Amino acid sequence: MRDRQKQQQTGGTMNWDVRGKGTRVFLVGVAFAAVLGFWTGDTGFAVAAGGQASFDQTSVLRGGRLYDNWYLENNKRAPIASNPAYPADGLLAKLPEQNWRCVACHGWDGEGKDGAFAKGTPYHTGIKGIRGMAGGDPAKVVALLGDKNHGYAEVLDDADLRDLSIYVTRGQIDINQFLDRKSGLSRGNRKQHAAFYETVCVNCHGSDGSEMRQTTPLGRFSRENPFETLHKIVFGHPGAKMPASIVFGADLVADLVAYLQALPEEEIQASIVRGGRLYDNWFSESGRTPPKGAHPGAPSAASLSPTQQANTWRCKECHGWDYMGRDGEAKAMNVKGIRGMVGATPAEVIAILRDDRHQFGGYLNPREMLDLANFVSKGQVDMEQFIDRKTRAIKGDPSRFQPYFEAACVRCHGEDGGKITSIPPIGQVARIEPWNALHKVLNGHPDEAMTPMRSFNTQVSADIVALLQTLKGK
């Protein structure tokens, strides 16, 4: 220990590394305040020496969060105009809330076009990484951040620029020491530090990692986004109370990633049902105000009333209650349906939701994106099996679930289906728009305590709609 302290004082380096690959982390009084490593090429997180260093661990950790998302870390609004340095043909070109993030160009591994964002990958930009600046002069990084190409001097203050430069030159980690790059799996032991998750992380994320409804469940997220997961565990989440776990040692970080990757998938039925309600009306379901004006892809927007313009942002408006778009009941919008997306991966659906035509990336959070994608991929019902398109009659037995209607539906809708005066009588809706009725019986009504029937055989929902079609409430 005495020799290691001497090494720090004379300009050596101290490595934070995964077990068995280098020096284990240790804390040495004030020396630990220099958790500011430069890249050494064979270690995980190297800590620069120098008791006289002009920066401390707070700078490098905060810099890592700024690299992730500087406006969240600073509790500021996201930019409304796209970053001029981001390629016009890039996946995030129309999403300023994403393309102003450092990681959007340089990647979670810091290798840009030579790493996880290489040519042929979805987030490829052709921009080089920042790995070559590790161990460099922070002042040079500050100058680059403020140049015409980056333009960050206009949105970040001096302290931000300083912390971000300290991260770039002293805080980058070696992804390869924590993860297998090809598979994305952690090199850690999921059981070794299980108690850390079960006593610290569980308070926000829950025992299965799905407690926070605004984020993707941790099991799925850590398997699909291992590099981002590692970065957030090391540095914390921007603007949140999540601890920077690297201060507890590199072994714990690797073990924690392994623990997350072993967590279960989300409850798929719950995700599909909520996705169905988001498809119906995402701003009502999420408690948001609808965007101003009509959706950019909506035809004849100028002739629409404000309410009609807001409705163009609802998925069902273009793609229909039968999900067939212009080939079904939503002919007026002249947009193709989503039936062809059945069986697609959630990632494929999410990429479409974020594209220039749909532009939902700025409105839906990651969990909502996943729920909607799960509905599109796995939750659509073939309405043709249950509804006669010509007569609009449901193919069901109206007598089979009369007791269920009386026990569960009458309290809100009344015996004749006309008790709620703010909406048309449900009998009328079921006769005129049976696809709408079946969708709502399956998934519930957005932001309402209506019981979804998705867990039962779809014929059960069809029988309930058949009963609704017999109601005469006005």
Side-chain angles (χ1 to χ4, degrees):
M1 180 69 73
R2 192 171 300 160
D3 290 341
R4 189 64 56 84
Q5 286 176 310
K6 181 177 180 181
Q7 183 185 21
Q8 288 186 324
Q9 294 167 358
T10 56
T13 62
M14 180 178 78
N15 299 327
W16 282 17
D17 206 349
V18 180
R19 63 177 69 82
K21 293 186 174 63
T23 304
R24 295 290 296 277
V25 65
F26 66 97
L27 315 183
V28 189
V30 178
F32 179 64
V35 177
L36 309 161
F38 56 79
W39 177 248
T40 64
D42 61 355
T43 58
F45 188 89
V47 182
Q52 303 303 316
S54 60
F55 44 81
D56 58 24
Q57 87 174 5
T58 301
S59 290
V60 73
L61 297 177
R62 182 169 181 269
R65 296 192 296 273
L66 291 167
Y67 179 85
D68 178 341
N69 192 318
W70 55 266
Y71 58 85
L72 273 186
E73 177 67 11
N74 287 329
N75 195 28
K76 292 182 178 179
R77 289 183 178 274
I80 58 175
S82 284
N83 185 343
Y86 190 88
D89 60 351
L91 182 66
L92 306 176
K94 302 295 184 181
L95 300 172
E97 74 281 0
Q98 296 293 336
N99 61 42
W100 273 97
R101 297 168 64 186
C102 307
V103 70
C105 292
H106 304 299
W108 295 107
D109 57 359
E111 297 182 16
K113 64 183 179 63
D114 299 315
F117 288 4
K119 188 174 182 179
T121 60
Y123 293 100
H124 173 70
T125 62
I127 297 173
K128 68 179 182 180
I130 59 171
R131 299 297 295 149
M133 304 201 74
D137 182 357
K140 292 183 178 180
V141 177
V142 170
L144 282 174
L145 290 170
D147 67 17
K148 291 183 179 180
N149 182 52
H150 291 85
Y152 283 101
E154 297 180 8
V155 293
L156 299 179
D157 63 24
D158 290 344
D160 295 332
L161 294 171
R162 172 179 172 274
D163 291 346
L164 187 52
S165 72
I166 295 302
Y167 163 74
V168 171
T169 58
R170 300 292 188 271
Q172 296 186 57
I173 61 173
D174 179 10
I175 293 285
N176 301 299
Q177 295 296 324
F178 295 89
L179 305 171
D180 176 80
R181 180 173 284 271
K182 186 175 182 180
S183 68
L185 294 177
S186 173
R187 299 184 187 279
N189 181 341
R190 67 183 178 87
K191 297 181 179 179
Q192 188 70 26
H193 284 98
F196 185 87
Y197 182 90
E198 293 164 0
T199 57
V200 178
C201 312
V202 71
N203 293 296
C204 292
H205 293 287
S207 60
D208 64 353
S210 64
E211 185 73 17
M212 298 180 71
R213 293 301 304 173
Q214 70 271 31
T215 65
T216 304
L218 293 184
R220 172 186 283 271
F221 186 85
S222 61
R223 290 185 290 271
E224 295 182 349
N225 305 278
F227 293 3
E228 181 177 356
T229 300
L230 176 62
H231 187 96
K232 290 184 186 295
I233 288 176
V234 169
F235 299 101
H237 191 284
K241 295 180 179 179
M242 177 177 171
S245 298
I246 192 65
V247 300
F248 301 106
D251 285 356
L252 181 140
V253 168
D255 294 343
L256 189 52
V257 176
Y259 186 95
L260 299 186
Q261 291 181 331
L263 289 174
E265 293 286 331
E266 74 278 6
E267 294 293 334
I268 190 64
Q269 286 298 320
S271 179
I272 288 172
V273 163
R274 184 159 191 259
R277 296 196 296 270
L278 291 166
Y279 179 88
D280 179 338
N281 189 324
W282 60 265
F283 45 88
S284 178
E285 173 67 13
S286 64
R288 295 186 178 92
T289 301
K292 292 183 179 180
H295 190 283
S300 305
S303 63
L304 301 178
S305 69
T307 298
Q308 290 173 325
Q309 289 182 3
N311 280 334
T312 63
W313 284 91
R314 297 169 65 183
C315 306
K316 70 88 184 175
E317 197 72 10
C318 289
H319 303 298
W321 292 114
D322 57 1
Y323 322 128
M324 296 177 65
R326 59 179 171 235
D327 298 320
E329 292 304 302
K331 293 180 174 61
M333 299 299 283
N334 195 30
V335 176
K336 72 177 182 179
I338 58 172
R339 293 292 295 150
M341 295 297 293
V342 172
T345 66
E348 290 172 331
V349 179
I350 289 171
I352 292 173
L353 291 171
R354 289 183 179 278
D355 68 18
D356 291 349
R357 181 175 180 82
H358 292 83
Q359 299 185 21
F360 284 106
Y363 297 102
L364 301 181
N365 66 39
R367 176 62 68 89
E368 291 163 346
M369 284 281 196
L370 178 60
D371 290 344
L372 184 52
N374 278 333
F375 169 76
V376 172
S377 174
K378 305 169 185 176
Q380 294 184 58
V381 168
D382 182 1
M383 295 282 187
E384 299 297 293
Q385 293 184 23
F386 302 98
I387 299 172
D388 184 296
R389 186 167 292 277
K390 186 175 181 180
T391 65
R392 303 187 181 228
I394 199 82
K395 300 172 185 178
D397 181 350
S399 64
R400 188 177 303 174
F401 287 96
Q402 177 75 33
Y404 174 84
F405 176 81
E406 293 172 352
C409 307
V410 166
R411 179 176 299 178
C412 292
H413 292 286
E415 293 182 357
D416 64 355
K419 184 176 179 180
I420 302 177
T421 59
S422 59
I423 61 172
I426 55 175
Q428 178 182 320
V429 172
R431 289 188 293 274
I432 297 175
E433 293 186 302
W435 304 275
N436 177 1
L438 184 54
H439 180 93
K440 282 185 165 64
V441 170
L442 282 166
N443 303 293
H445 192 286
D447 195 33
E448 295 287 350
M450 176 178 169
T451 303
M453 300 298 291
R454 170 76 61 172
S455 62
F456 297 96
N457 185 289
T458 305
Q459 187 60 54
V460 172
S461 295
D463 291 342
I464 292 173
V465 176
L467 172 61
L468 300 185
Q469 288 188 330
T470 68
L471 300 179
K472 304 299 182 182
K474 296 183 180 179

